[in-house]
Amino acid sequence: MALGGPVICLAGGVGGSRLAHGLAQVLAPGQLTVIVNTADDFRHYGLRVCPDLDTVMYNLAGLADPQRGWGLRDDSGNMLRALRRLGEEGWFQLGDQDLATQVLRSHWLERGLRLTEVTARLAAALGVEQTLLPMCDEPVATMVQTRGGGELDFQTWFVRERWQPPVRSLRLAGIGRARMTAEVGDALAGATLVLLAPSNPWLSILPILAVPGLRAALRQAAAPVVAVTPVIRGAALKGPAARLMADFGLAPAAATVCGLYGDILDAFVYDERDAVPPPAGLRLLGADTVMDNEDARARLAREILDWTATWRPPAVPEREES
Ligand code: GDP
Ligand code: CA
């Protein structure tokens, strides 16, 4: 029963921000909290860069580049050009206005603010009315063990190497020192619905679920947990989700995503283009999950909210305590 109550969306970057933006269009601003992956954050020329937080923030602010889905619209590239003139490769795309976000975030973090507080300040300044929370305040970093090669930090593998090196395994450096924040705990405890956005499972959603305390908080929360597939007809719309499934010897399919989230899931939204729905045991909704424009985002968000609102509390499947 989601209508009217607080809705939480767990999100990564481009896929996650699409659903978050759809939800923002149909929910009252105070109703939506987005908890964002920070495991692909990195330090770049001394700055703390948070790609997924910024992607969600710029989309909710209506400032995102509409073609790429990330970065700021109409941004310029003077800094990158100047960096290259100084002999640097400049492989990480950072527009001039986007750079201001990184400078100010780094400045505030250096002055002792928590990432949660910094994010709230940046989002408010850009006019975001929804609540935007990083998954934790401590730095956590996805590290990529490549086949044949050594370990690459995530952005080197993803951007510089264009995610071509096959992956043996992934590791979340720093996750042992991370703690669920009070803000995330309160949000989950008060939620009436939790959505796992159509983000990359390994690179966006599983890092959030790996924050110590978070999975337990989700299990304890009264809210049903609903995931939206990031894989359609065995392929990702963008990025390495299906490739990673192949690398890990898993079927590149929506059902694989269900399996990865396991017992926290109550329901799953698969794409209607998929002939075979994922395995039973979950409430299932087949929908057009391609959110390639603003209307499609809002339409899918409304369809999911309407669907969950028809569930009467006793009919929500009991989750087994582990
Ligand atoms: P990143 O951090 O920018 O790589 O983005 P995410 O992890 O949030 O999202 C990447 C995933 O989003 C990919 O697996 C895409 O297939 C998926 N995705 C992107 N746009 C859409 C969409 O409109 N609908 C669905 N169902 N999935 C999408
Ligand atoms: Ca990302």
Side-chain angles (χ1 to χ4, degrees):
M1 295 276 285
L3 285 188
V7 174
I8 312 291
C9 179
L10 273 51
V14 171
S17 65
R18 284 181 162 187
L19 183 66
H21 187 223
L23 291 164
Q25 291 177 66
V26 301
L27 293 169
Q31 244 185 302
L32 178 61
T33 297
V34 190
I35 300 174
V36 183
N37 171 49
T38 57
D40 60 6
D41 292 11
F42 72 129
R43 290 198 74 81
H44 194 49
Y45 295 113
L47 300 173
R48 170 72 177 271
V49 180
C50 302
D52 286 357
L53 270 175
D54 287 346
T55 297
V56 176
M57 179 167 74
Y58 294 155
N59 272 281
L60 291 182
L63 297 171
D65 182 279
Q67 261 69 51
R68 296 176 308 192
W70 52 270
L72 287 159
R73 77 169 72 210
D74 303 325
D75 208 348
S76 48
N78 289 321
M79 184 279 291
L80 267 182
R81 273 191 292 278
L83 204 55
R84 288 176 188 142
R85 188 171 61 192
L86 291 168
E88 292 295 290
E89 194 180 335
W91 54 269
F92 191 77
Q93 299 289 320
L94 208 48
D96 297 331
Q97 296 179 48
D98 200 356
L99 182 62
T101 306
Q102 317 311 322
V103 168
L104 193 54
R105 171 188 292 121
S106 305
H107 172 70
W108 280 335
L109 286 173
E110 232 160 69
R111 296 189 39 178
L113 291 184
R114 298 185 297 132
L115 184 61
T116 300
E117 297 164 329
V118 170
T119 302
R121 283 193 184 191
L122 292 171
L126 293 179
V128 174
E129 294 178 300
Q130 294 77 16
T131 303
L132 195 58
L133 298 175
M135 68 186 202
C136 60
D137 286 322
E138 301 80 4
V140 172
T142 294
M143 304 296 293
V144 183
Q145 272 94 38
T146 61
R147 286 180 199 280
E151 189 174 67
L152 300 176
D153 70 81
F154 174 72
Q155 295 298 345
T156 301
W157 175 76
F158 187 71
V159 180
R160 187 157 187 260
E161 302 291 327
R162 298 170 202 276
W163 50 274
Q164 290 315 298
V167 177
R168 185 190 307 278
S169 60
L170 299 165
R171 175 174 81 87
L172 282 173
I175 194 71
R177 284 186 301 278
R179 293 290 168 266
M180 185 175 71
T181 63
E183 288 85 352
V184 168
D186 289 348
L188 291 174
T192 50
L193 176 66
V194 177
L195 292 167
L196 310 186
S199 287
N200 188 304
W202 288 282
L203 303 176
S204 294
I205 302 295
L206 291 175
I208 305 176
L209 295 175
V211 173
L214 206 142
R215 246 181 209 268
L218 261 186
R219 282 206 196 85
Q220 274 160 26
V225 178
V226 183
V228 181
T229 186
V231 172
I232 300 172
R233 282 188 162 168
L237 292 182
K238 166 192 168 286
R243 233 291 304 287
L244 285 176
M245 288 176 183
D247 282 1
F248 295 155
L250 302 167
T256 300
V257 180
C258 291
L260 289 171
Y261 299 149
D263 65 352
I264 58 162
L265 269 197
D266 295 293
F268 188 73
V269 181
Y270 65 96
D271 195 276
E272 61 192 16
R273 294 165 189 80
D274 270 329
V276 187
L282 296 171
R283 290 173 181 273
L284 297 172
L285 175 69
D288 179 358
T289 71
V290 178
M291 297 173 280
D292 46 11
N293 61 65
E294 286 200 10
D295 290 345
R297 295 173 179 186
R299 183 194 35 71
L300 180 63
R302 190 171 290 112
E303 191 175 347
I304 294 170
L305 294 173
D306 287 349
W307 180 51
T308 61
T310 63
W311 303 348
R312 295 292 163 268
V316 173
E318 295 266 319
R319 257 167 287 150
E320 287 170 27
E321 299 296 323
S322 58

